[in-house]
């Protein structure tokens, strides 16, 4: 029983929580969500996102939350893709630079007889 309680507190519980990312401040609802640490440098919104949903009705707040959640999920995917592409471009650039450096340090007679260790 104790293990079941601990498991229920894990990150996956929010998927089934009908009020996930909703926070009540006074009588109004707000969308409140953590920005993943890996994306904070690209996101620019800080550690948390908070948006006033301008409603006191829980059903309207859930509908509005669903729209914000979908938009944030799409943004997260886009930022993850951009970060991956940036890393790939950096690696490709570093590899090209290393190839140029290696080729410039080898004399003309050595380049034709020795096979290249670098493969794209």
């Amino acid at each position: 029983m104790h293990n079941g309680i601990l498991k229920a507190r894990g990150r996956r519980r929010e998927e089934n929580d009908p009020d996930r990312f909703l926070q009540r401040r006074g009588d109004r609802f707000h969308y409140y969500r953590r920005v993943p640490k890996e994306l904070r440098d690209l996101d620019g919104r800080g550690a948390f996102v908070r948006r006033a949903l301008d409603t006191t009705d829980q059903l309207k707040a859930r509908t509005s939350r669903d729209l914000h959640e979908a938009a944030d999920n799409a943004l997260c995917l886009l930022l993850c893709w951009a970060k991956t592409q940036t890393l790939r471009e950096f690696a490709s650039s570093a590899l090209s630079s290393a190839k140029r450096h290696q080729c410039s340090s080898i004399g003309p007679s050595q380049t034709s007889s020795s096979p290249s260790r670098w493969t794209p």
Side-chain angles (χ1 to χ4, degrees):
M1 180 127 184
H2 183 66
N3 288 336
I5 292 172
L6 290 177
K7 259 190 171 176
R9 291 184 182 176
R11 294 177 67 82
R12 291 287 154 204
R13 76 179 160 84
E14 65 193 22
E15 290 177 358
N16 299 322
D17 183 3
D19 293 327
R20 67 189 174 280
F21 308 129
L22 287 179
Q23 190 177 64
R24 188 172 228 153
R25 297 183 72 196
D27 62 342
R28 318 280 291 161
F29 283 94
H30 288 251
Y31 174 76
Y32 188 75
R33 185 175 186 177
R34 182 182 304 272
V35 175
K37 287 181 185 178
E38 305 84 32
L39 301 177
R40 286 183 192 160
D41 57 332
L42 296 174
D43 192 306
R45 295 183 291 179
F48 294 93
V49 175
R50 179 183 288 155
R51 294 186 191 116
L53 299 179
D54 297 324
T55 186
T56 58
D57 184 347
Q58 190 173 25
L59 290 177
K60 287 181 182 178
R62 286 177 179 170
T63 302
S64 183
R65 179 270 326 269
D66 289 345
L67 295 173
H68 286 291
E69 182 180 9
D72 278 342
N73 288 343
L75 177 63
C76 183
L77 286 174
L78 181 64
L79 291 176
C80 286
W81 178 83
K83 194 167 190 167
T84 302
Q85 288 302 106
T86 302
L87 290 173
R88 283 185 186 148
E89 290 169 7
F90 175 77
S92 177
S93 174
L95 184 60
S96 295
S97 177
K99 283 182 182 180
R100 282 193 305 274
H101 179 68
Q102 182 185 12
C103 290
S104 66
S105 66
I106 297 174
S109 62
Q110 295 173 328
T111 55
S112 60
S113 62
S114 62
S116 176
R117 294 187 321 214
W118 298 96
T119 56

